[in-house]
PDB file of all heavy atoms in Angstrom:
ATOM      1  N   LEU B 482      99.623 -99.258 -51.342  1.00 95.00           N
ATOM      2  CA  LEU B 482     100.832-100.041 -51.067  1.00 95.00           C
ATOM      3  C   LEU B 482     101.916 -99.732 -52.093  1.00 95.00           C
ATOM      4  O   LEU B 482     103.095 -99.694 -51.768  1.00 95.00           O
ATOM      5  CB  LEU B 482     100.513-101.539 -51.045  1.00 95.00           C
ATOM      6  CG  LEU B 482      99.607-101.987 -49.892  1.00 95.00           C
ATOM      7  CD1 LEU B 482      99.368-103.484 -49.942  1.00 95.00           C
ATOM      8  CD2 LEU B 482     100.205-101.599 -48.542  1.00 95.00           C
ATOM      9  N   LYS B 483     101.499 -99.495 -53.341  1.00 93.00           N
ATOM     10  CA  LYS B 483     102.485 -99.129 -54.359  1.00 93.00           C
ATOM     11  C   LYS B 483     103.122 -97.796 -54.012  1.00 93.00           C
ATOM     12  O   LYS B 483     104.293 -97.552 -54.270  1.00 93.00           O
ATOM     13  CB  LYS B 483     101.800 -99.023 -55.723  1.00 93.00           C
ATOM     14  CG  LYS B 483     101.846-100.330 -56.464  1.00 93.00           C
ATOM     15  CD  LYS B 483     101.329-100.176 -57.869  1.00 93.00           C
ATOM     16  CE  LYS B 483     100.982-101.550 -58.402  1.00 93.00           C
ATOM     17  NZ  LYS B 483      99.772-101.585 -59.180  1.00 93.00           N
ATOM     18  N   GLU B 484     102.313 -96.926 -53.440  1.00 93.00           N
ATOM     19  CA  GLU B 484     102.771 -95.580 -53.126  1.00 93.00           C
ATOM     20  C   GLU B 484     103.718 -95.586 -51.916  1.00 93.00           C
ATOM     21  O   GLU B 484     104.781 -95.001 -51.967  1.00 93.00           O
ATOM     22  CB  GLU B 484     101.530 -94.724 -52.830  1.00 93.00           C
ATOM     23  CG  GLU B 484     101.783 -93.321 -52.358  1.00 93.00           C
ATOM     24  CD  GLU B 484     102.138 -92.380 -53.482  1.00 93.00           C
ATOM     25  OE1 GLU B 484     101.836 -92.734 -54.647  1.00 93.00           O
ATOM     26  OE2 GLU B 484     102.719 -91.317 -53.204  1.00 93.00           O
ATOM     27  N   VAL B 485     103.332 -96.279 -50.853  1.00 93.00           N
ATOM     28  CA  VAL B 485     104.127 -96.165 -49.618  1.00 93.00           C
ATOM     29  C   VAL B 485     105.174 -97.273 -49.492  1.00 93.00           C
ATOM     30  O   VAL B 485     106.099 -97.149 -48.700  1.00 93.00           O
ATOM     31  CB  VAL B 485     103.245 -96.112 -48.355  1.00 93.00           C
ATOM     32  CG1 VAL B 485     102.213 -95.030 -48.462  1.00 93.00           C
ATOM     33  CG2 VAL B 485     102.564 -97.447 -48.098  1.00 93.00           C
ATOM     34  N   GLN B 486     105.040 -98.328 -50.282  1.00 93.00           N
ATOM     35  CA  GLN B 486     106.041 -99.387 -50.375  1.00 93.00           C
ATOM     36  C   GLN B 486     106.596 -99.876 -49.044  1.00 93.00           C
ATOM     37  O   GLN B 486     107.796 -99.730 -48.782  1.00 93.00           O
ATOM     38  CB  GLN B 486     107.184 -98.914 -51.249  1.00 93.00           C
ATOM     39  CG  GLN B 486     106.707 -98.647 -52.665  1.00 93.00           C
ATOM     40  CD  GLN B 486     107.843 -98.637 -53.654  1.00 93.00           C
ATOM     41  OE1 GLN B 486     108.941 -98.231 -53.322  1.00 93.00           O
ATOM     42  NE2 GLN B 486     107.579 -99.075 -54.861  1.00 93.00           N
ATOM     43  N   PRO B 487     105.760-100.478 -48.212  1.00 93.00           N
ATOM     44  CA  PRO B 487     106.297-101.061 -46.978  1.00 93.00           C
ATOM     45  C   PRO B 487     107.081-102.331 -47.323  1.00 93.00           C
ATOM     46  O   PRO B 487     106.817-102.961 -48.353  1.00 93.00           O
ATOM     47  CB  PRO B 487     105.030-101.407 -46.194  1.00 93.00           C
ATOM     48  CG  PRO B 487     103.978-101.604 -47.235  1.00 93.00           C
ATOM     49  CD  PRO B 487     104.332-100.698 -48.385  1.00 93.00           C
ATOM     50  N   LEU B 488     108.019-102.688 -46.469  1.00 92.00           N
ATOM     51  CA  LEU B 488     108.777-103.918 -46.730  1.00 92.00           C
ATOM     52  C   LEU B 488     107.889-105.143 -46.537  1.00 92.00           C
ATOM     53  O   LEU B 488     107.984-106.108 -47.274  1.00 92.00           O
ATOM     54  CB  LEU B 488     109.986-104.003 -45.805  1.00 92.00           C
ATOM     55  CG  LEU B 488     111.093-102.984 -46.057  1.00 92.00           C
ATOM     56  CD1 LEU B 488     112.247-103.227 -45.101  1.00 92.00           C
ATOM     57  CD2 LEU B 488     111.577-103.074 -47.497  1.00 92.00           C
ATOM     58  N   HIS B 489     107.018-105.070 -45.539  1.00 92.00           N
ATOM     59  CA  HIS B 489     106.128-106.206 -45.279  1.00 92.00           C
ATOM     60  C   HIS B 489     104.744-105.696 -44.924  1.00 92.00           C
ATOM     61  O   HIS B 489     104.608-104.654 -44.292  1.00 92.00           O
ATOM     62  CB  HIS B 489     106.651-107.053 -44.118  1.00 92.00           C
ATOM     63  CG  HIS B 489     107.984-107.666 -44.404  1.00 92.00           C
ATOM     64  ND1 HIS B 489     108.121-108.824 -45.142  1.00 92.00           N
ATOM     65  CD2 HIS B 489     109.230-107.274 -44.084  1.00 92.00           C
ATOM     66  CE1 HIS B 489     109.407-109.108 -45.250  1.00 92.00           C
ATOM     67  NE2 HIS B 489     110.102-108.170 -44.614  1.00 92.00           N
ATOM     68  N   VAL B 490     103.741-106.465 -45.336  1.00 92.00           N
ATOM     69  CA  VAL B 490     102.365-106.116 -44.993  1.00 92.00           C
ATOM     70  C   VAL B 490     101.808-107.223 -44.112  1.00 92.00           C
ATOM     71  O   VAL B 490     102.024-108.409 -44.374  1.00 92.00           O
ATOM     72  CB  VAL B 490     101.499-105.984 -46.262  1.00 92.00           C
ATOM     73  CG1 VAL B 490     100.048-105.741 -45.901  1.00 92.00           C
ATOM     74  CG2 VAL B 490     102.017-104.862 -47.142  1.00 92.00           C
ATOM     75  N   VAL B 491     101.146-106.829 -43.048  1.00 90.00           N
ATOM     76  CA  VAL B 491     100.520-107.790 -42.145  1.00 90.00           C
ATOM     77  C   VAL B 491      99.042-107.454 -42.089  1.00 90.00           C
ATOM     78  O   VAL B 491      98.682-106.283 -41.943  1.00 90.00           O
ATOM     79  CB  VAL B 491     101.143-107.668 -40.736  1.00 90.00           C
ATOM     80  CG1 VAL B 491     100.381-108.510 -39.740  1.00 90.00           C
ATOM     81  CG2 VAL B 491     102.609-108.064 -40.769  1.00 90.00           C
ATOM     82  N   CYS B 492      98.173-108.443 -42.271  1.00 91.00           N
ATOM     83  CA  CYS B 492      96.735-108.135 -42.264  1.00 91.00           C
ATOM     84  C   CYS B 492      95.937-109.345 -41.798  1.00 91.00           C
ATOM     85  O   CYS B 492      96.452-110.457 -41.757  1.00 91.00           O
ATOM     86  CB  CYS B 492      96.293-107.692 -43.649  1.00 91.00           C
ATOM     87  SG  CYS B 492      96.442-108.955 -44.884  1.00 91.00           S
ATOM     88  N   PRO B 493      94.668-109.135 -41.453  1.00 91.00           N
ATOM     89  CA  PRO B 493      93.830-110.271 -41.065  1.00 91.00           C
ATOM     90  C   PRO B 493      93.710-111.249 -42.232  1.00 91.00           C
ATOM     91  O   PRO B 493      93.764-110.831 -43.392  1.00 91.00           O
ATOM     92  CB  PRO B 493      92.461-109.642 -40.780  1.00 91.00           C
ATOM     93  CG  PRO B 493      92.706-108.185 -40.634  1.00 91.00           C
ATOM     94  CD  PRO B 493      93.931-107.870 -41.411  1.00 91.00           C
ATOM     95  N   GLU B 494      93.561-112.522 -41.923  1.00 91.00           N
ATOM     96  CA  GLU B 494      93.567-113.518 -43.001  1.00 91.00           C
ATOM     97  C   GLU B 494      92.417-113.322 -43.984  1.00 91.00           C
ATOM     98  O   GLU B 494      92.520-113.695 -45.144  1.00 91.00           O
ATOM     99  CB  GLU B 494      93.534-114.935 -42.423  1.00 91.00           C
ATOM    100  CG  GLU B 494      92.243-115.281 -41.720  1.00 91.00           C
ATOM    101  CD  GLU B 494      92.167-116.769 -41.381  1.00 91.00           C
ATOM    102  OE1 GLU B 494      93.088-117.531 -41.763  1.00 91.00           O
ATOM    103  OE2 GLU B 494      91.201-117.159 -40.733  1.00 91.00           O
ATOM    104  N   GLN B 495      91.325-112.676 -43.543  1.00 91.00           N
ATOM    105  CA  GLN B 495      90.205-112.447 -44.458  1.00 91.00           C
ATOM    106  C   GLN B 495      90.617-111.638 -45.682  1.00 91.00           C
ATOM    107  O   GLN B 495      89.981-111.712 -46.717  1.00 91.00           O
ATOM    108  CB  GLN B 495      89.079-111.677 -43.745  1.00 91.00           C
ATOM    109  CG  GLN B 495      88.322-112.501 -42.732  1.00 91.00           C
ATOM    110  CD  GLN B 495      88.873-112.291 -41.330  1.00 91.00           C
ATOM    111  OE1 GLN B 495      90.075-112.099 -41.156  1.00 91.00           O
ATOM    112  NE2 GLN B 495      88.004-112.352 -40.349  1.00 91.00           N
ATOM    113  N   TYR B 496      91.678-110.835 -45.523  1.00 93.00           N
ATOM    114  CA  TYR B 496      92.078-109.974 -46.641  1.00 93.00           C
ATOM    115  C   TYR B 496      93.015-110.664 -47.621  1.00 93.00           C
ATOM    116  O   TYR B 496      93.350-110.105 -48.650  1.00 93.00           O
ATOM    117  CB  TYR B 496      92.782-108.722 -46.111  1.00 93.00           C
ATOM    118  CG  TYR B 496      91.906-107.814 -45.272  1.00 93.00           C
ATOM    119  CD1 TYR B 496      92.472-106.867 -44.436  1.00 93.00           C
ATOM    120  CD2 TYR B 496      90.517-107.900 -45.338  1.00 93.00           C
ATOM    121  CE1 TYR B 496      91.683-106.026 -43.663  1.00 93.00           C
ATOM    122  CE2 TYR B 496      89.730-107.076 -44.569  1.00 93.00           C
ATOM    123  CZ  TYR B 496      90.305-106.142 -43.723  1.00 93.00           C
ATOM    124  OH  TYR B 496      89.514-105.321 -42.985  1.00 93.00           O
ATOM    125  N   THR B 497      93.455-111.870 -47.266  1.00 93.00           N
ATOM    126  CA  THR B 497      94.444-112.502 -48.141  1.00 93.00           C
ATOM    127  C   THR B 497      93.826-113.525 -49.080  1.00 93.00           C
ATOM    128  O   THR B 497      94.527-114.227 -49.781  1.00 93.00           O
ATOM    129  CB  THR B 497      95.547-113.198 -47.308  1.00 93.00           C
ATOM    130  OG1 THR B 497      94.902-114.147 -46.460  1.00 93.00           O
ATOM    131  CG2 THR B 497      96.314-112.206 -46.484  1.00 93.00           C
TER     132      THR B 497
END
Side-chain angles (χ1 to χ4, degrees):
Chain B
L482 293 181
K483 268 187 198 140
E484 175 79 19
V485 307
Q486 297 200 327
L488 291 182
H489 297 278
V490 175
V491 172
C492 64
E494 67 170 356
Q495 288 96 326
Y496 296 162
T497 58

